[in-house]
Amino acid sequence: MTTHSPERVALVTGGGTGIGRAAALQFADAGWRVIVAGRREAPLAELAAAHPAIDYRIADISDQAQAGRLVDHAAHAHGRLDALVNNAGVISPVHILDLDAEALGNLFAINVFGPSYLASAAVKHLSASGGSIVNVSSAVAQRPNAQGAFYGASKAAIDYLTRSWAAGLAEQGIRVNAVSPGPTDTPILSTMLPPEAVEAVKAQEAAALPLRRRGTADEVARWIVALADPASAWVTGQVIAVDGGMAIA
């Protein structure tokens, strides 16, 4: 008699577009059940309609109560939770010379507090399944930049938390890793800049990389899925640069 392993379950935040969307599809194609979450229903519903293994949930992860309910829903929907992917994030042009308290608070609420709320709520589920957390950081966390100082600081916090959570949760059988993408083709720039400025930034970023091109969401997502996979059971506390060589440029 053949025994089939239960389907693994992943919760992917910021799953409607970009890297989160690509990761959700790759998890689903690999046989996982996936719950994607975000604040805008349209892209989430479109993604869920595109693959039978993907469901969605609307949630604001910067609210601790909503984050907790999201994690519990994901775990209870399929009886387990094997991976939490903290992908939701925002870029904000907060500058030290014109500091906006509300914008700064929102940046850290989504980029740092949200992943923390989710991870805390997920511990009981991930310890039961021997699962893992994969955080999405950024290559800019290691490259000081006056224009993006606070965004970089929020991602540097994620790098530190990744290593700290990995050390603290190892006894419970939970692995914690992160991917650190360099310039990647996602819709996020278009939410901040006009089209001509977006193209100029893309060209500038590509020219500065050793591989002379920006990455794709699929290329980053591949590492998220690999780190969550049980085949990576000997890997924890790592921040993997998926950046076209940005770290060595």
Side-chain angles (χ1 to χ4, degrees):
M1 180 171 133
T2 302
T3 301
H4 295 286
S5 299
E7 289 180 306
R8 290 189 288 271
V9 179
L11 169 60
V12 181
T13 66
T17 61
I19 293 169
R21 184 181 192 279
L25 287 168
Q26 289 185 29
F27 273 119
D29 286 343
W32 292 59
R33 299 291 306 191
V34 186
I35 295 90
V36 292
R39 293 184 292 184
R40 295 183 298 124
E41 183 171 16
L44 297 172
E46 181 183 359
L47 175 59
H51 201 296
I54 300 176
D55 301 315
Y56 74 92
R57 190 84 167 177
I58 300 169
D60 179 358
I61 64 160
S62 68
D63 179 277
Q64 186 174 10
Q66 290 190 50
R69 288 194 296 268
L70 172 62
V71 169
D72 288 342
H73 167 79
H76 296 152
H78 302 292
R80 58 188 290 143
L81 181 65
D82 299 87
L84 165 64
V85 179
N86 281 316
N87 172 70
V90 295
I91 294 178
S92 176
V94 181
H95 196 281
I96 190 64
L97 297 179
D98 185 25
L99 200 57
D100 183 309
E102 184 176 354
L104 183 61
N106 183 64
L107 177 68
F108 276 81
I110 295 174
N111 289 6
V112 181
F113 299 160
S116 301
Y117 298 148
L118 291 161
S120 178
V123 165
K124 62 181 180 289
H125 304 297
L126 295 175
S127 62
S129 65
S132 71
I133 298 170
V134 183
N135 296 320
V136 178
S137 181
S138 171
V140 303
Q142 305 303 320
R143 296 176 73 91
N145 182 305
Q147 299 303 316
F150 290 106
Y151 172 72
S154 74
K155 291 302 186 178
I158 289 298
D159 288 358
Y160 186 88
L161 290 172
T162 295
R163 298 184 178 102
S164 298
W165 292 347
L169 297 176
E171 288 187 357
Q172 299 192 52
I174 300 172
R175 298 182 301 109
V176 187
N177 295 288
V179 295
S180 181
T184 306
D185 282 326
T186 71
I188 196 164
L189 279 179
S190 62
T191 65
M192 301 174 57
L193 300 170
E196 62 276 8
V198 169
E199 292 308 312
V201 169
K202 287 182 177 182
Q204 182 181 27
E205 289 178 339
L209 293 171
L211 294 183
R212 294 294 185 269
R213 70 173 179 85
R214 290 161 55 84
T216 68
D218 281 335
E219 288 173 316
V220 178
R222 194 169 298 126
W223 285 91
I224 294 172
V225 175
L227 288 169
D229 192 280
S232 295
W234 194 232
V235 181
T236 195
Q238 303 304 304
V239 179
I240 307 296
V242 187
D243 64 0
M246 184 174 174
I248 58 171

